[in-house]
Amino acid sequence: MKRFLSQLGWPIGVFVVVMVAWHLATKVFEIPAYILPDPLRVLGAGLEKRANLFSAVRISAAEAGLGFVASVVGGVLVAFVLAQSVVIRRCMFPYTILLQTVPILAVAPLILMWFGSGLRSIILIVFIICLFPIIANTTQGLISVDRNLLDLFRMGNASRAQTLSKLRFPHAIPNFFVGLRISSGLSVIGAFTGEMFASSSAVGEGGLGYSIIYANSQLQTDYLFALVIACAALGSCFFFTVVFFEWLFLHHWHASAMRPDPE
Amino acid sequence: MTAPLPTLAAIEVPGPGTRPFVSVTGLTKRFSNGVTVLDDVSLDLARGDFVSLIGPSGCGKSTLLKLVSGLSPASGGGITVDGMTPENARELMSFIFQDATLLPWRTVIGNIVLGLELEGGTTRSQRRAKAVELLGLVGLSDVADHYPRQLSGGMKMRVSIARALATRPKLLLMDEPFGALDEMTRDHLNEELLRLREEQKWTALFVTHSVAEAVFLSTRVVVLQAGPGRIRRDIAIPFPFPRLPDLRSDPAYLDLVGQVSQALRDICIGPKGGET
Ligand SMILES: Nc1ncnc2c1ncn2[C@@H]1O[C@H](COP(=O)(O)OP(=O)(O)O)[C@@H](O)[C@H]1O
Ligand SMILES: [Mg+2]
C-alpha cells in the first residue's frame, strides 16, 4: 500500500511543474484569456461554477460507471461463452471484432433513434465502447492455460467446473485486468461521446461532454479548461481504481501487479 | 566402502503367475499427422520397480508417459495399470512434469492440497494436516505460506513432488523432473526421492537425459531409440536399496553408467547412422 502511494508522488510533482510553467507562460507571453487562460483563472472559474461543475462530473461519472460495470458483466459472460470451444470462437469472435472496428460515431445516431436521448442511450454507448477489450482479454486469459496444468487437472480427474473455478478463472484474472484498464479509460470517452449526441439539454442535466460544448459556444474558455481538467481527473480516478483492485488481487503472486505501471 | 556387487538375488523377479503392476504390450502411437512415434513397445513394471526411460530427444519418452497416464490414447496395443485401463487407474497415479507446474496464485500449502481437493471427501483441516506432513518430508516446512515465485527451482520441484505424493499414488510418472536443475540440487533430490520411495513404496516410471541419474535411481534402465520409438535395451541395475550417495563412486556403479552410455552411443551411430 505504501509503495502504491509513493508511486503517486512523481506524477503529482509533474502536475505542479506543468501548472507553474503554464502560469508563467501566460504572463510572460501575454496570451489572451480566451485562447489560453491562466491556471488561476481556470481554478477561479471552476470554483465560481462549482455547482455546475460537480453536477456535470457526477452525471458523467454515473454514465461512465454504469456503462463500464455493465460492460464488465456482459464482457465476462461473452468471454465465458467464447472460451467453451474453438467452434464457438470461430463463429462468434469475428462479430465481437465489429464492436471495435465500427466507429461508435456511426452507430450513435441509430441508438439515439431507437432509445431516445438521455441516460439510457449514453450508458449503452459507454457499454459498447468498453465491451471489446474486456471480451478479448478475458477470453485470451481463459483459453491460454498451460497444457501441463490442464493435464495435471485431468490426472486429478477434475470436473469441468473444478477446472474452471480452480484453474481457468484464476489464470484469467491478470488478462481480465488488462481489459479493465483499457476500458476504464474508454468509459469516460464513451460518456463524453454519448453526451454529444444524446444529452438531454435541460439545465443541470448535462454531463461533462454537454457542458464542454456549451462552454465552448459561450466562449467561456476558462470554464472550458476547468471542465477538460475535470474530465481528465475523472478518467484517472477510474483508471487508478482499477489499478488499485488489480494490485489488491494480484500482488501476492503476479509479477505485473507488483508495480502499477500505466500503459 | 563399496556397495555389494550385483547379484541375481538382488533383482526383484516377480514369481510365476504374478501379474505385472504396469503392463505395456505391443504399444503403437501414431499422431494425426501420420508420424509413428512409438512402434510395438512392450514393457512390464513389477510392483516396486523404478524404471528409467532414456533415449535421444524425440524418441517418444514423453509420449509413452502420456499414454500410460491415459492423457493421450494409444493407436494400437494395450496398457494396463493394476489390471485397469489407464483412465480408470488415474486415482493410483501421479504425474510430475519437468517444470514444476505449480499454480502461481496458490501458496505452497495450497498447491500441495490441490490433488486432495479435486478428489473430494476430505475436510480443509484434514487436507492441511496432510500437506504439513508432506512439507516436513520434503524439507519445506519453513516456506509453507510462500508463493511459487518466491521459491528456487529446486524448492518448486520439491513442492511438485509433495503435491504428487499427497494423493498416495501407487505409480509415479515423472517426465524429466530434475532436467532444469543444477547438478548438486539434482543429486540431492535424487537421494530424497529414494528416501521417499523407501517410506512409501510406490512404483516409478521416470524419464531422464542423465545416465548417472538413471543408474543411481533405477531398478531398470530402458534405452529407447528414435524414428520410430522402440525399446533397444533393458538393463537391470541390481544395487540394493537403500542406496547411499557414495554409490556414485562405486566401480560397479561407474561400470553400469558406462554400459548405459555405450548403449546410447550405439543408437546414435546406429544402423541408420547419424544423430537422431
Ligand atoms: N501432439 C503431437 N502431434 C504430432 N506429433 C507429436 C505430438 N507430440 C509429440 N509429437 C512428436 O512425437 C515425437 C516424440 O515426442 P516426445 O514423446 O515428446 O519425445 P521425447 O519426450 O522423447 O523427447 C517427436 O518427434 C514429436 O515431434
Ligand atoms: Mg520429453
Side-chain angles (χ1 to χ4, degrees):
Chain A
M1 192 64 222
K2 232 185 206 154
R3 256 174 83 177
F4 182 77
L5 285 178
S6 74
Q7 300 271 356
L8 288 176
W10 287 104
I12 289 171
V14 170
F15 176 80
V16 170
V17 169
V18 170
M19 286 301 129
V20 169
W22 176 3
H23 172 72
L24 292 178
T26 54
K27 287 280 165 295
V28 172
F29 302 112
E30 292 172 359
I31 301 171
Y34 63 87
I35 304 242
L36 184 66
D38 185 314
L40 292 175
R41 272 190 71 145
V42 172
L43 185 67
L47 285 176
E48 188 193 324
K49 297 203 164 92
R50 61 182 174 279
N52 284 341
L53 184 66
F54 282 137
S55 100
V57 169
R58 222 183 38 241
I59 289 166
S60 290
E63 293 158 354
L66 288 171
F68 177 63
V69 169
S71 74
V72 172
V73 175
V76 169
L77 286 176
V78 173
F80 178 75
V81 172
L82 289 177
Q84 296 311 305
S85 84
V86 187
V87 178
I88 297 179
R89 277 198 294 288
R90 287 230 181 94
C91 296
M92 300 309 296
F93 199 69
Y95 295 100
T96 68
I97 289 175
L98 286 182
L99 285 171
Q100 181 83 337
T101 51
V102 175
I104 194 70
L105 295 181
V107 188
L110 286 174
I111 291 173
L112 199 64
M113 205 162 70
W114 292 330
F115 298 97
S117 66
L119 202 61
R120 245 188 339 177
S121 293
I122 300 175
I123 291 175
L124 187 60
I125 289 172
V126 174
F127 174 78
I128 292 171
I129 283 194
C130 291
L131 201 54
F132 182 77
I134 294 176
I135 293 178
N137 285 288
T138 310
T139 306
Q140 185 59 32
L142 289 171
I143 63 174
S144 65
V145 176
D146 179 46
R147 233 263 59 99
N148 284 344
L149 282 174
L150 284 169
D151 281 346
L152 180 76
F153 273 67
R154 279 177 68 200
M155 283 305 289
N157 287 321
S159 66
R160 211 178 159 90
Q162 281 175 324
T163 308
L164 205 60
S165 67
K166 292 178 197 292
L167 181 58
R168 288 194 192 272
F169 277 147
H171 177 84
I173 290 176
N175 298 72
F176 170 66
F177 271 108
V178 171
L180 286 194
R181 280 183 184 211
I182 299 170
S183 291
S184 67
L186 290 179
S187 70
V188 177
I189 297 175
F192 196 95
T193 314
E195 282 169 18
M196 300 224 159
F197 283 88
S199 195
S200 132
S201 54
V203 178
E205 280 180 34
L208 288 167
Y210 173 77
S211 303
I212 283 175
I213 292 170
Y214 185 76
N216 188 31
S217 69
Q218 303 293 306
L219 277 182
Q220 296 169 341
T221 315
D222 42 9
Y223 184 48
L224 181 72
F225 266 88
L227 287 164
V228 170
I229 291 170
C231 231
L234 185 62
S236 305
C237 265
F238 274 51
F239 183 82
F240 282 107
T241 307
V242 168
V243 171
F244 172 72
F245 277 105
E246 181 176 357
W247 176 86
L248 201 63
F249 280 103
L250 298 182
H251 74 283
H252 306 291
W253 64 272
H254 198 260
S256 83
M258 287 186 280
R259 56 203 153 76
D261 55 333
E263 264 118 352
Chain B
M1 183 187 142
T2 49
L5 283 175
T7 58
L8 271 179
I11 309 173
E12 290 178 42
V13 182
T18 319
R19 195 173 53 189
F21 181 51
V22 178
S23 165
V24 175
T25 34
L27 187 69
T28 311
K29 177 68 182 179
R30 202 172 302 108
F31 282 108
S32 48
N33 59 7
V35 178
T36 303
V37 174
L38 293 172
D39 182 32
D40 193 22
V41 170
S42 296
L43 179 69
D44 285 351
L45 274 73
R47 233 171 256 280
D49 252 348
F50 194 121
V51 174
S52 288
L53 300 173
I54 199 163
S57 288
C59 70
K61 305 181 292 294
S62 299
T63 304
L64 181 54
L65 283 200
K66 288 260 159 90
L67 292 176
V68 172
S69 64
L71 288 171
S72 163
S75 315
I79 302 173
T80 60
V81 178
D82 205 13
M84 293 178 276
T85 63
E87 285 85 356
N88 291 335
R90 283 227 183 103
E91 266 122 79
L92 306 178
M93 297 190 263
S94 284
F95 207 117
I96 299 177
F97 302 90
Q98 171 167 2
D99 47 342
T101 58
L102 303 177
L103 302 178
W105 52 86
R106 287 193 177 211
T107 60
V108 167
I109 284 258
N111 270 286
I112 293 176
V113 297
L114 178 71
L116 295 168
E117 227 177 277
L118 296 176
E119 218 170 58
T122 45
T123 66
R124 184 181 280 265
S125 59
Q126 282 171 330
R127 292 196 291 267
R128 201 176 159 91
K130 179 80 196 174
V132 167
E133 177 200 326
L134 280 159
L135 276 178
L137 275 181
V138 297
L140 284 180
S141 303
D142 298 346
V143 296
D145 295 314
H146 284 45
Y147 284 87
R149 67 175 174 83
Q150 299 168 287
L151 306 179
S152 68
M155 287 160 113
K156 282 185 200 162
M157 195 37 80
R158 281 166 204 261
V159 178
S160 192
I161 292 171
R163 176 179 63 191
L165 295 178
T167 49
R168 299 213 142 276
K170 299 277 186 298
L171 175 63
L172 269 187
L173 303 169
M174 293 173 269
D175 195 352
E176 299 184 43
F178 309 133
L181 305 179
D182 63 87
E183 195 162 333
M184 262 171 59
T185 312
R186 173 191 280 234
D187 284 354
H188 193 64
L189 283 173
N190 283 171
E191 287 146 29
E192 299 221 343
L193 195 63
L194 286 188
R195 184 174 56 73
L196 291 165
R197 177 178 177 271
E198 289 304 303
E199 288 169 29
Q200 306 188 322
K201 313 281 182 213
W202 26 261
T203 306
L205 189 54
F206 184 93
V207 172
T208 180
H209 272 124
S210 158
V211 176
E213 175 177 73
V215 175
F216 184 75
L217 291 172
S218 310
T219 56
R220 280 157 60 203
V221 175
V222 170
V223 181
L224 290 156
Q225 69 178 35
R230 285 203 186 98
I231 292 182
R232 185 66 177 261
R233 295 279 303 273
D234 190 335
I235 302 168
I237 311 295
F239 307 115
F241 294 91
R243 292 179 184 172
L244 300 171
D246 40 11
L247 175 63
R248 292 204 177 88
S249 46
D250 189 295
Y253 166 83
L254 294 171
D255 181 50
L256 271 170
V257 170
Q259 280 185 39
V260 176
S261 303
Q262 184 60 49
L264 267 174
R265 269 197 303 280
D266 288 347
I267 288 167
C268 294
I269 50 162
K272 288 183 178 168
E275 290 253 338
T276 353

